[in-house]
Amino acid sequence: MNRLLIIGGGAAGMAAAIRAAQTNPEAQITILEGLDRVGKKILATGNGRCNLTNAYITPEHYHSQDPARLEQLLSRMDTQRTLTFFQSIGLYCMEEDMGRIYPYCKQAAMVLDILLLALQRYHIHVVCNCRVTDITASKKGFTVTAENGTTYRGDAVILTAGGRAAPKQGTSGTSYPLAVKMGHRYARLYPCLVPLQCRSNVLKGLKGIRVTCHTALYRGKQKLSEELGEIQLTDYGLSGIPALQLSCWMDNKDADYTARLDLFPDWSYDDLRSLIQQRIREFPNEPLATFLLGLIHKKILYAVCKTCSLEPLSRTAGSLSRQEMDLLVSTLKGWKFPVTGTLSWDHAQVTGGGVFLQEINDDFSSRRQPGFYLAGEVLDVAGDCGGYNLHWAWCSGMAAGEAAAQWIQ
Ligand SMILES: Cc1cc2nc3c(=O)[nH]c(=O)nc-3n(C[C@H](O)[C@H](O)[C@H](O)COP(=O)(O)OP(=O)(O)OC[C@H]3O[C@@H](n4cnc5c(N)ncnc54)[C@H](O)[C@@H]3O)c2cc1C
């Protein structure tokens, strides 16, 4: 009894395989990967540089339906765990701004090369073009069946076949039926770290403009979260890291979401109002189209005026009534965009929802099926941008690998 099967050769699967081999050198470990190579997604991470963990791993950077259970699991996963793992296979890292940690050579390809070398060093068997479609458990262990009909026998199985995001990188959600087959249930799936689609008649003219602002997401009147940073305006809605982060809060497709942009985050409402009043006093005959130039992007000013129905733009600044000025200031401090949804799974970096965390033990073994383990994005955890998702994948994979290796000993 020493055969370990790992379904899915991504970040979690490779970390699981390597830690299993380090823990139990006698184990016969096989990775079954649906694509023609393992670790394809890793090459795309961090814009080709692989932001592989973060110096500040805290629960606030993660989303799950079960934050209390997530906090328990994360408490065993500090940054050092990922760094020590990579050092054990020869990769050194460095920290950049906001705690983001990258490989020292800044190449995602190097991270994958190092992982592939370790797979070879530990004699881990890799079967590519092997999309798993079924799994059964019996007293004699597990039988895993691939799309082409080939079957594989294991004494333990780790499911690391990822989520539904970025299907072009092999992850179209095939892991969930396998988990269900082993008795698991999962929280509704939704795309995370994905641009927001908004209903607005001004966005078309703003395509490509970037603006540093404070963005808050509301569900009805409740503020869900807020982000400071550079928003990219697109013809369909909002992109850029703050918009991607806010998408992780949109777990209810029927809810009424609104994004509000504060274009002057460094100024209070009253300060901005005084400044605009002063500009009007100084330049009363200046048209609306130009009276705030030097403070705000020209096209954004046009769009804000349009939103407030302050037209035509040839009107003079001095012609603004008190109510009109108040409306202008409150729009500059809280420009509302009704959010109608997000872009599709193709554009998402991670999956919200997944197998319930209550259904796994601290070592990532299943509470439904002995000898079965789950790790990585298949679980109900999605992290912010900044290395949090890969950190979860490596650490949960390592924990599952260690435990499964002991189980088959
Ligand atoms: C463009 C992009 C950039 C990203 N950048 C970052 C970043 O810089 N930092 C960060 O922390 N996170 C980043 N992420 C998120 C991160 O890559 C994932 O959260 C992480 O890879 C999840 O690891 P995983 O092993 O659980 O799943 P994956 O890495 O998705 O691996 C799952 C593997 O299982 C295989 N598979 C699927 N179904 C089957 C099946 N039925 N049978 C056999 N094999 C199967 C897939 O082909 C895949 O190889 C990024 C994601 C994307 C899409």
Side-chain angles (χ1 to χ4, degrees):
M1 161 147 163
N2 62 357
R3 297 162 304 176
L4 171 60
L5 295 177
I6 298 178
I7 305 174
M14 284 190 279
I18 294 165
R19 275 307 292 153
Q22 290 172 336
T23 308
N24 175 0
E26 303 302 316
Q28 289 175 26
I29 304 166
T30 305
I31 297 180
L32 305 174
E33 166 57 47
L35 294 180
D36 59 358
R37 61 187 297 182
V38 290
K40 187 175 175 207
K41 192 181 282 177
I42 292 171
L43 297 173
T45 59
N47 286 326
R49 299 193 322 150
C50 189
N51 178 194
L52 53 78
T53 182
N54 196 288
Y56 309 107
I57 297 295
T58 58
E60 297 75 52
H61 288 290
Y62 290 91
H63 304 261
S64 168
Q65 289 217 346
D66 193 345
R69 181 76 186 119
L70 173 62
E71 190 166 350
Q72 285 169 348
L73 293 167
L74 274 178
S75 67
R76 298 153 181 259
M77 295 186 179
D78 61 6
T79 310
Q80 196 54 44
R81 190 147 162 70
T82 293
L83 297 180
T84 304
F85 168 70
F86 277 106
Q87 269 184 30
S88 80
I89 57 171
L91 187 83
Y92 285 78
C93 298
M94 63 176 296
E95 185 178 331
E96 290 195 3
D97 57 329
M98 299 166 79
R100 292 167 188 227
I101 295 178
Y102 294 86
Y104 201 75
C105 56
K106 308 269 176 61
Q107 281 181 295
M110 188 66 78
V111 177
L112 182 53
D113 282 347
I114 282 282
L115 288 163
L116 293 176
L117 273 177
L119 295 183
Q120 269 178 25
R121 196 178 302 133
Y122 290 111
H123 307 292
I124 291 158
H125 187 44
V126 176
V127 185
C128 288
N129 296 310
C130 177
R131 182 153 295 273
V132 172
T133 52
D134 194 24
I135 175 170
T136 53
S138 71
K139 282 192 184 130
K140 290 188 186 153
F142 296 86
T143 304
V144 167
T145 308
E147 208 167 32
N148 65 7
T150 312
T151 55
Y152 301 85
R153 304 297 304 271
D155 302 303
V157 171
I158 308 180
L159 180 62
T160 49
R164 262 195 83 179
K168 288 190 185 116
Q169 271 131 14
T171 39
S172 54
T174 56
S175 51
Y176 304 103
L178 299 173
V180 169
K181 195 79 198 292
M182 290 294 101
H184 288 279
R185 294 165 312 131
Y186 58 94
R188 197 182 76 77
L189 309 175
Y190 64 99
C192 278
L193 298 186
V194 61
L196 307 179
Q197 279 182 314
C198 300
R199 191 173 54 243
S200 162
N201 57 357
V202 296
L203 276 170
K204 279 222 157 44
L206 299 174
K207 183 178 169 187
I209 295 175
R210 292 161 187 255
V211 54
T212 298
C213 60
H214 191 277
T215 309
L217 182 73
Y218 287 76
R219 183 172 52 213
K221 288 191 174 141
Q222 184 198 2
K223 190 198 280 183
L224 298 174
S225 185
E226 53 197 349
E227 296 283 336
L228 181 65
E230 191 181 75
I231 284 281
Q232 291 170 28
L233 299 161
T234 70
D235 47 358
Y236 59 79
L238 308 175
S239 188
I241 288 178
L244 302 193
Q245 307 265 68
L246 292 173
S247 69
C248 296
W249 294 86
M250 295 182 48
D251 56 358
N252 179 350
K253 68 178 169 39
D254 300 321
D256 170 25
Y257 294 105
T258 309
R260 282 195 209 169
L261 272 53
D262 178 353
L263 300 171
F264 288 89
D266 299 326
W267 305 63
S268 69
Y269 177 92
D270 289 341
D271 288 346
L272 184 63
R273 194 174 187 285
S274 308
L275 177 77
I276 290 179
Q277 269 177 325
Q278 188 191 328
R279 296 281 283 226
I280 293 174
R281 276 197 299 274
E282 281 173 21
F283 312 113
N285 298 322
E286 198 71 37
L288 290 182
T290 51
F291 93 109
L292 287 183
L293 284 192
L295 263 183
I296 184 171
H297 192 292
K298 192 167 35 176
K299 286 191 178 167
I300 293 184
L301 177 61
Y302 296 172
V304 168
C305 286
K306 193 169 174 187
T307 305
C308 301
S309 305
L310 299 179
E311 290 173 299
L313 291 168
S314 54
R315 263 183 74 180
T316 61
S319 73
L320 285 179
S321 68
R322 189 191 166 90
Q323 285 94 326
E324 284 175 326
M325 197 182 61
D326 286 345
L327 179 62
L328 176 63
V329 178
S330 53
T331 305
L332 291 170
K333 289 291 292 172
W335 196 11
K336 289 185 201 164
F337 292 92
V339 181
T340 52
T342 63
L343 290 194
S344 68
W345 289 106
D346 283 337
H347 303 268
Q349 290 191 9
V350 282
T351 311
V355 173
F356 291 114
L357 296 182
Q358 279 300 340
E359 298 185 357
I360 53 159
N361 294 304
D362 290 352
D363 62 359
F364 291 84
S365 57
S366 162
R367 286 183 176 162
R368 299 282 176 266
Q369 173 61 53
F372 185 64
Y373 299 76
L374 303 100
E377 205 174 307
V378 64
L379 294 167
D380 173 25
V381 176
D384 284 345
C385 292
Y388 298 99
N389 287 298
L390 280 173
H391 180 81
W392 171 260
W394 313 124
C395 289
S396 58
M398 280 189 269
E402 283 164 20
Q406 283 162 9
W407 166 267
I408 59 175
Q409 235 162 12

